[in-house]
Amino acid sequence: MSESEFDIIKTYFSSIGNTKDWLITGVGDDAAILKPIPNQQQLIAIDTLNTGIHFLPETSAIDIGYKSLAVNISDIAAMAGQPLWFTLSISLPEVDHDWLKGFADGLTDIANQFGLNLIGGDTTRGPLSITIQIAGVVPEGKALTRSGAQLNDDIYVTGYLGDAAAGLKLLQQNKKIYSQVERQLLNRLHRPTPRVNIGLSLRGVATSCIDISDGLAADLGHILESSHLGAELEREHLPFSGSLQQSGFALERQYEFAIYGGDDYELCFTAPQSMRDILDDISKQTSCQISRIGRIIHDRGLFLVDKTEKKTISKTGFDHFLSS
Ligand code: ADP
Ligand code: MG
């Protein structure tokens, strides 16, 4: 380790998170020391964000810091877990203190919101790449998986769909100035909200759950594959934010964003019809919209229904949707 690496770690990455009784030693030794938490199962996930692929080169350091951790927290939320700690492996093309400060600020902001500790990592030189490993806990047997959906379950999503994809489309248009509505969409792209509280409330309520990183069709598709079932979505019940509705994108475009656009990091889950009242309460308690968007059916496949027709939609991409 070179002196500058040591300084970077000490200055930016050595004190994210406060004292915890399960954390004996964090950043600063050859490995972190953790005490196991009785009766809890561990959840571990890891995600890498590369420049040019997961974020555009012009994305601000603070947003990169924020989002890198947010997408990992979202994975723990989708398992109904309580996130506890993360490690950070970062490759940097150069030592740019403004960039590092912004990145650490974004990371610290979201780490503090969810009470997470940064317990270790690795710092190297190379094209910008950020890998975060996250851990959470869940009481034994309470984790929500993709494989638990049952015939006739309702299908739900939290929040709104399509905002992040609309934000990405705006970025790709290379505009110089954004309206307030457009800035709200960009904010949803850069600063997704991990639904940890909802995930925790879904223990014993939902039968399956996933977070929407690749788009509703693709991610609900994973639940359907794992559960060996199909789904019918009701077009009129897909939730659109006010921002998306006012964005000026054509309605068909909005549906494409909602069904195929990634990066919303909302939860998609299934629950028996008997849970409808409980889910209304969870929505109120968490101040988060929860929309019932369809149901699990026996026929394998994903269908979109409206008043006049029922059409098959692809679980993977735009093409079938556009041509049907
Ligand atoms: P080693 O040479 O033993 O791998 P490192 O120089 O890689 O040591 O790391 C020194 C300490 O700093 C370790 O505790 C490691 O976990 C921590 N660390 C290194 N990089 C980061 C980072 N980006 N974020 C958090 N902790 C880090
Ligand atoms: Mg190392």
Side-chain angles (χ1 to χ4, degrees):
M1 177 174 71
S2 75
E3 199 48 43
S4 74
E5 273 168 39
F6 180 77
D7 286 340
I8 290 170
I9 297 164
K10 190 158 172 281
T11 309
Y12 301 107
F13 302 131
S14 64
S15 56
I16 299 183
N18 47 25
T19 316
K20 300 283 164 60
D21 55 9
W22 46 263
L23 180 58
I24 315 293
T25 302
V27 172
D29 215 310
D30 291 317
I33 308 175
L34 307 181
K35 203 156 71 180
I37 301 176
N39 304 319
Q40 302 281 312
Q41 291 178 329
Q42 290 203 59
L43 304 166
I44 310 276
I46 187 165
D47 265 313
T48 296
L49 285 89
N50 288 327
T51 189
I53 297 174
H54 299 95
F55 47 86
L56 300 175
E58 59 268 27
T59 310
S60 72
I62 192 163
D63 285 340
I64 293 174
Y66 194 99
K67 186 166 180 174
S68 309
L69 183 53
V71 303
N72 277 281
I73 297 174
S74 179
D75 281 324
I76 300 298
M79 303 295 293
Q82 175 69 54
L84 293 183
W85 56 259
F86 65 105
T87 58
L88 166 69
S89 176
I90 186 165
S91 287
L92 297 164
E94 63 196 333
V95 180
D96 173 342
H97 285 284
D98 288 341
W99 191 94
L100 276 161
K101 178 167 189 329
F103 177 80
D105 283 350
L107 199 64
T108 303
D109 179 355
I110 186 148
N112 287 343
Q113 283 180 49
F114 290 90
L116 297 190
N117 289 63
L118 175 54
I119 65 158
D122 202 19
T123 305
T124 55
R125 194 178 282 270
L128 183 61
S129 175
I130 296 146
T131 299
I132 289 182
Q133 179 195 40
I134 191 166
V137 288
V138 63
E140 263 173 52
K142 295 286 185 202
L144 293 176
T145 64
R146 300 175 177 188
S147 59
Q150 303 290 318
L151 185 62
N152 293 324
D153 275 356
D154 292 318
I155 301 169
Y156 296 86
V157 288
T158 60
Y160 303 105
L161 297 173
D163 283 6
L168 181 61
K169 182 56 78 181
L170 291 170
L171 280 186
Q172 288 163 344
Q173 289 169 349
N174 268 324
K175 297 174 96 170
K176 293 273 173 302
I177 298 171
Y178 295 105
S179 67
Q180 199 193 338
V181 160
E182 289 171 339
R183 283 201 301 274
Q184 282 162 359
L185 295 172
L186 291 171
N187 193 52
R188 297 312 298 157
L189 174 67
H190 292 313
R191 294 184 165 235
T193 308
R195 301 297 185 186
V196 172
N197 284 340
I198 295 185
L200 297 177
S201 309
L202 292 179
R203 290 175 182 170
V205 174
T207 48
S208 71
C209 187
I210 193 166
D211 68 324
I212 303 180
S213 54
D214 296 332
L216 174 65
D219 289 315
L220 174 57
H222 293 314
I223 288 183
L224 301 180
E225 292 299 317
S226 300
S227 302
H228 311 291
L229 288 162
E232 214 170 72
L233 295 177
E234 288 161 35
R235 186 176 157 98
E236 64 186 328
H237 289 146
L238 297 180
F240 290 177
S241 69
S243 314
L244 184 57
Q245 292 175 50
Q246 292 161 37
S247 64
F249 287 110
L251 192 59
E252 273 314 295
R253 226 13 167 19
Q254 295 178 24
Y255 276 102
E256 288 170 9
F257 293 149
I259 295 172
Y260 293 111
D263 270 1
D264 282 322
Y265 296 97
E266 296 295 347
L267 297 183
C268 174
F269 60 92
T270 56
Q273 293 175 17
S274 57
M275 294 294 175
R276 286 180 184 180
D277 290 346
I278 290 173
L279 283 160
D280 280 343
D281 291 344
I282 292 173
S283 171
K284 286 189 195 106
Q285 281 156 18
T286 54
S287 305
C288 177
Q289 177 161 324
I290 296 178
S291 306
R292 194 168 76 236
I293 60 168
R295 65 187 183 96
I296 296 291
I297 59 173
H298 187 265
D299 285 353
R300 300 291 290 273
L302 182 56
F303 304 92
L304 188 66
V305 294
D306 62 16
K307 291 193 183 71
T308 56
E309 61 175 347
K310 170 173 174 173
K311 61 184 172 185
T312 302
I313 54 178
S314 151
K315 287 184 217 153
T316 49
F318 272 107
D319 296 358
H320 194 193
F321 186 66
L322 288 176
S323 60
S324 61

